Amino acid sequence: MRFLTLVSLFAIGSLASAADHTSMNKMCPVDGKLVDSSVKMLPYNSKTDQAAKASSGATQPSTQQMIGFCGAKCHEMYEKDPAKYHDAIEKERHTTK
């Protein structure tokens, strides 16, 4: 009985954490393909977040949005130069509102 309780609690926790970590984008900012939810996401800091952080001295944006990618290679390319893909992300953010 204890084992079933632990398994069910683990399953509920896994579902809740998966729901909390959805990407804000549907298309990969690097190559424009659909986002693969199994690929590791990265936090997104828009220019607005960066300006607020600089003016307030805050270390984290108040709401952390995550960027999704279509594959590990795109994840790596984005991580090397996030500013390069900023316009693609912002364009998708404004067209999906």
Side-chain angles (χ1 to χ4, degrees), residues 21-85:
H21 297 291
T22 56
S23 67
M24 62 181 249
N25 57 316
K26 302 291 183 213
M27 305 304 285
C28 177
V30 178
D31 72 4
K33 294 180 184 176
L34 286 174
V35 167
D36 181 348
S37 61
S38 67
V39 177
K40 183 180 174 185
M41 291 181 267
L42 288 172
Y44 176 66
N45 294 316
S46 70
K47 288 181 181 177
T48 308
D49 293 339
Q50 293 168 8
K53 180 179 168 182
S55 65
S56 68
T59 57
Q60 290 281 348
S62 58
T63 57
Q64 191 67 46
Q65 296 179 315
M66 302 299 283
I67 297 295
F69 304 93
C70 65
K73 189 169 187 166
C74 288
H75 176 274
E76 291 170 10
M77 289 175 66
Y78 177 87
E79 202 167 27
K80 289 178 184 174
D81 188 10
K84 181 176 179 179
Y85 306 102

